[in-house]
Amino acid sequence: MNNAEPLEIYLEEQDLGRGLREDVRVGLGATPKWLPPKWFYDARGSELFEQITELPEYYPTRAERAVLAARAPRIAEATGAKTLIELGSGSSEKTRLLLDAFTRRGGLGSFVPLDVSVSALRQSTEQIATDYPGLRVRGIVGDFTRHLDRLPAGGRRLVVFLGGTVGNLLPPERAAFLAAMRAGLEAGDWLLVGTDLVKDPRVVVPAYDDAAGVTAEFNRNVLRVVNRELGADFDPEAFRHVALWDPENEWIEMRLRAERPMRVRVLDLVVDFAAGEELRTEISAKFRPTGIAAELDAAGFCAEHFWTDPEDLFGVTLARAV
């Protein structure tokens, strides 16, 4: 018996295309220019990111996994959740540590992963349904910045937002996201959020600028996505990958730097780049424990537990909706 329900789809291909066109118009028309990081992740971009997570320089995935491996039984015990919801689930690989802990404890009835990719979500839900036969699996195709109101209601819920993805949002976007998250939950529900921690830039920067050049290829992939989907004529190889630490904002910025003057045509736009001009493609904010607790508090959560890996590289906060 297959316990994976049909996917609930709230995000169609035309929605993605419309969103890409809007982001390109706004971002390439801005000063300085920018594109949001969600457009990295076509099939090739997802493959490159999986490679990044295995690189020696890239500590966040390993550190977060270490926290979850150590603390998953405590999370299951503290929350007593009946429904586990994962935002931006991807393959749900790290979430299996939680599912195993909840399975041993008993009481978890359903797992609800949300992701923008139909194919990735279908594959992961079918695999999890096979591996956890007593669990109801209900995949939602949606955008965590737009479709939090589609999450299932009722029962004690634990929402999981891993990978430090919350750090890709600018502070006002983060505040809006956390407020929307709280609005979608009831008092007593839980939020588990992973955040990369502030540390020596000599550790942080190489994680975004690896020696093998995988992150550089990942960064340039956003231009290939725009070329393919919107008929643009970017020359990705004419842009150099740049990763910079911003000490004031305590975040990494990934940028693409034009190595020569060029003119790019996309949609009905003509976009000029000067030699050396940079296009921002991602921020990745790093947090202090007091900072993430304060942001959660402002949104209506109480941070009950904060855990790190043995090297204090990455933090996982368990917060209760109040």
Side-chain angles (χ1 to χ4, degrees), residues 107-301:
L108 186 69
S110 59
F111 173 56
V112 184
L114 180 148
D115 199 84
V116 297
S117 169
V118 172
S119 58
L121 197 58
R122 181 170 288 119
Q123 181 178 350
S124 67
T125 54
E126 290 177 356
Q127 190 60 56
I128 286 173
T130 298
D131 294 344
Y132 299 88
L135 196 63
R136 176 188 176 197
V137 181
R138 173 185 171 186
I140 296 177
V141 179
D143 184 331
F144 65 74
T145 64
R146 292 169 47 202
H147 296 114
L148 293 178
D149 60 338
R150 306 294 185 172
L151 299 180
R156 181 173 290 192
R157 293 170 290 177
L158 168 62
V159 178
V160 176
F161 194 33
L162 298 176
T165 306
V166 70
N168 295 145
L169 302 173
L170 291 164
E173 296 170 334
R174 226 165 39 233
F177 164 76
L178 290 172
M181 185 75 263
R182 176 61 188 89
L185 297 177
E186 298 175 4
D189 286 336
W190 296 86
L191 173 65
L192 186 74
V193 59
T195 49
D196 198 1
L197 301 179
V198 174
K199 61 186 70 66
D200 192 324
R202 290 175 295 183
V203 176
V204 179
V205 174
Y208 296 84
D209 193 11
D210 61 279
V214 182
T215 310
E217 190 65 16
F218 174 71
N219 196 5
R220 283 190 288 266
N221 192 62
V222 72
L223 302 182
R224 296 189 173 94
V225 169
V226 175
N227 281 352
R228 184 185 66 244
E229 299 298 325
L230 301 183
D233 59 357
F234 278 104
D235 177 4
E237 299 308 316
F239 287 83
R240 184 160 71 86
H241 168 67
V242 178
L244 297 173
W245 174 248
D246 181 334
E248 181 178 349
N249 289 303
E250 296 188 320
W251 66 44
I252 280 279
E253 283 198 17
M254 289 209 319
R255 304 176 185 176
L256 290 168
R257 181 178 294 160
E259 298 200 298
R260 56 176 171 80
M262 65 188 87
R263 173 164 288 179
V264 177
R265 290 171 175 80
V266 53
L267 300 172
D268 55 358
L269 305 175
V270 176
V271 184
D272 289 316
F273 285 85
E277 184 176 356
E278 293 176 341
L279 167 69
R280 191 188 75 207
T281 53
E282 182 179 83
I283 68 155
S284 184
K286 310 307 170 189
F287 295 83
R288 299 179 186 273
T290 53
I292 186 61
E295 291 190 35
L296 288 164
D297 180 73
F301 291 94

Side-chain angles (χ1 to χ4, degrees), residues 15-29 34-36 39 146 230 267 269:
D15 297 317
L16 291 171
R18 191 181 306 115
L20 177 60
R21 289 192 296 274
E22 181 178 347
D23 285 342
V24 165
R25 285 188 186 281
V26 175
L28 295 186
W34 57 268
L35 288 172
W39 303 116
R146 292 169 47 202
L230 301 183
L267 300 172
L269 305 175

Side-chain angles (χ1 to χ4, degrees), residues 48-68:
L48 287 166
F49 185 71
E50 288 302 315
Q51 293 178 32
I52 288 170
T53 64
E54 301 298 327
L55 292 169
E57 298 98 330
Y58 194 79
Y59 61 84
T61 301
R62 290 188 295 275
E64 186 179 44
R65 187 185 293 122
V67 178
L68 294 174

